[in-house]
Amino acid sequence: MTYSLRKLLSGLVTISLIIVLAAGCSGGGNGSGKGGSTPKPADPGTNKGNAQDEVYPENGLSKTEQVTIRWGYWENGYGRAWMDYATEKFTEKYPNVSFDITSSPVIRDVISTKMAAKNDEDMFDIISPTFNKEEGIIAQQAGLFEQLDDLWEREVPDAPGKKLKDVVLDNTMEYAEKINGHFYQIPMGSYALGLFFDKKFFEEKGWNQNPKTYDEFNALMDKIKADGVAPITFPGIYPTYLYYPFWIKQFELAQKAGNLEAYLKDYRAGINMYSTPEVKEYWTRMYEMGKKGYFVEGAAALNHTQSQMQLLQHKVALASTGDWVENEMKDSIPDGFEWGFMTIPFSNTAGDPIWVENGIGAGSLMIWKNKPDIVKKWAKEFVLFLMTNDIQAVNGQSGISPIRKDFAEDESNLDKLQDAPKAVLAYMKNNNGQFATRTRDVSFGEQDAAKATKMVEEMIVDVAAGKKDPLPVLAEADKLMQKVLESRK
């Protein structure tokens, strides 16, 4: 299926979030901020005139009551320029609101410590959703965060008469992360995952930039290796980066087999997570590629920045990462580098759909429930403000693909995207591209589920090195998940 750019951007959502885990990479930066979230009393001298003049007509909130919002921000591969711009514009519009921001690549640790202390007053009012996945699930199930279901019915500030649910990309609500049927965060942007490369380097070497079949892809790997270059790098310290070109392939295989609808239904319900032929197949292919030496040696010692630097230095041909890579590595990109993108076609029939993982959620915020109502109301106004096309355009300059479906109606907006996301759109246009996400409709916080996840993730590096057959591990993980599913009946 071929997409126009506009439909492509809309397609960015047949999918949804790994919370970014996904996007999963930490960047540099730090910040600080102290202070409370208790609203400051208004100056009595300002409470004069008509009551109607003292509130904002679009939301009914006071113009004079001073409110400070404390934000614990995860400074990751997208940087913080979009965040600084958003808060600046919001406070220009609402001068009685200010922000007290603590930003850090390891904000997860700060948030986890505050959560463990159970001190609502000391907790941030809004946080970036970065914490241990199971910890986050438990916190949401325990009611520690504000439900945001109502925001889908609110009007977006720059689209009067249109509700949030109507202006976002198709299927956003269907695939945005929910816990027990409720939304605790609203996605602000999207991202795509796969294999990124330097087009100029490929041209110089005469390598195939767009393999159409699995055999063509393997031939490319052999050619790259024969030329003395490592084909693919990934950060073994964060091994789930190697999922990016592989995980979503189970859907591609299910579609090829003609059972996609049933497969997706079971997948979303968390059934047969490790035992389907499709899952075994993508792991087996990863193992076979590992035995052929397609993955860089020494991956176990690499973090995400080091593996991506290998790409920029042409020590490897492709890096398994997300489209945030351009923004994350912007200070290290050499002159003449031109971003390209591909993934692994699992079919040997040219023209078959090629599935690419993407997600929605980049820039999401969550609101701590036990805060003053006025603070939570203003926090929700800020969440809606992030959905305006002005903010979405700045997000795009930081590598966050916009989530507004009318963003592409102004084609000049597409020029505001960085080159790495553009490369993804070009790939989807030139191939029968299909976006999808790994998000499930259920969450598993049980100990056995955590054990299963851990044992599977811990084998990635050895599988990619061709040292460990993944099938026995998958069988053990499946036994643990069957226990979990039985306990829920």
Side-chain angles (χ1 to χ4, degrees), residues 273-338:
M273 291 172 60
Y274 302 108
S275 62
T276 67
E278 291 83 356
V279 169
K280 293 177 181 177
E281 179 65 16
Y282 86 71
W283 276 103
T284 297
R285 294 197 189 188
M286 185 193 298
Y287 182 42
E288 291 173 347
M289 290 173 63
K291 288 189 289 186
K292 293 177 181 178
Y294 290 169
F295 301 106
V296 69
E297 293 183 6
L302 299 174
N303 62 29
H304 62 286
T305 304
Q306 291 168 328
S307 67
Q308 291 162 182
M309 187 60 74
Q310 288 181 325
L311 173 68
L312 300 182
Q313 296 173 342
H314 294 165
K315 293 180 179 179
V316 298
L318 303 111
S320 183
T321 186
D323 60 6
W324 58 77
V325 61
E326 179 181 0
N327 194 69
E328 185 171 53
M329 305 299 291
K330 61 186 176 183
D331 294 331
S332 302
I333 299 172
D335 292 340
F337 191 99
E338 184 177 342

Side-chain angles (χ1 to χ4, degrees), residues 2-14 167-170 190 402-415 417 422 425-426 428-429 435:
T2 300
Y3 294 84
S4 66
L5 278 182
R6 186 172 301 169
K7 289 182 178 177
L8 264 178
L9 199 52
S10 264
L12 270 174
V13 179
T14 311
V167 302
V168 293
L169 296 169
D170 297 338
S190 61
I403 201 171
R404 283 280 293 270
K405 64 184 177 184
D406 59 353
F407 184 82
E409 290 180 4
D410 181 352
E411 293 191 3
S412 66
N413 281 337
L414 295 175
D415 294 332
L417 299 179
K422 284 182 185 178
L425 296 181
M428 299 300 284
K429 180 181 180 180
F435 279 118

Side-chain angles (χ1 to χ4, degrees), residues 77-122:
Y78 297 122
R80 59 174 289 164
W82 75 270
M83 175 208 73
D84 291 333
Y85 179 83
T87 53
E88 177 185 350
K89 290 300 180 182
F90 190 79
T91 53
E92 282 181 9
K93 184 175 182 180
Y94 302 111
N96 61 305
V97 179
S98 60
F99 289 84
D100 188 350
I101 299 171
T102 300
S103 67
S104 170
V106 292
I107 196 68
R108 170 186 296 179
D109 298 335
V110 179
I111 292 169
S112 295
T113 299
K114 290 180 178 292
M115 289 175 65
K118 298 180 179 179
N119 185 337
D120 292 328
E121 185 174 349
D122 185 54

Side-chain angles (χ1 to χ4, degrees), residues 100-208:
D100 188 350
I101 299 171
T102 300
S103 67
S104 170
V106 292
I107 196 68
R108 170 186 296 179
D109 298 335
V110 179
I111 292 169
S112 295
T113 299
K114 290 180 178 292
M115 289 175 65
K118 298 180 179 179
N119 185 337
D120 292 328
E121 185 174 349
D122 185 54
M123 175 55 78
F124 300 115
D125 304 317
I126 57 179
I127 68 171
S128 301
T130 171
F131 30 54
N132 176 276
K133 181 69 172 177
E134 287 72 28
E135 181 181 54
I137 292 169
I138 293 170
Q140 293 171 83
Q141 289 176 332
L144 299 181
F145 289 98
E146 185 79 359
Q147 286 185 17
L148 302 179
D149 300 7
D150 58 307
L151 288 185
W152 295 109
E153 301 296 329
R154 290 281 307 278
E155 289 187 0
V156 181
D158 66 344
K162 294 183 180 180
K163 296 179 179 180
L164 175 60
K165 66 181 182 181
D166 298 323
V167 302
V168 293
L169 296 169
D170 297 338
N171 299 326
T172 297
M173 290 184 66
E174 180 180 355
Y175 292 115
E177 185 171 359
K178 298 185 287 290
I179 300 295
N180 294 335
H182 294 287
F183 296 93
Y184 293 88
Q185 55 185 287
I186 302 295
M188 302 302 158
S190 61
Y191 53 88
L193 310 173
L195 301 172
F196 290 83
F197 61 93
D198 179 3
K199 292 175 65 67
K200 294 296 185 182
F201 188 43
F202 267 59
E203 290 171 4
E204 175 188 323
K205 294 291 187 179
W207 296 336
N208 183 0

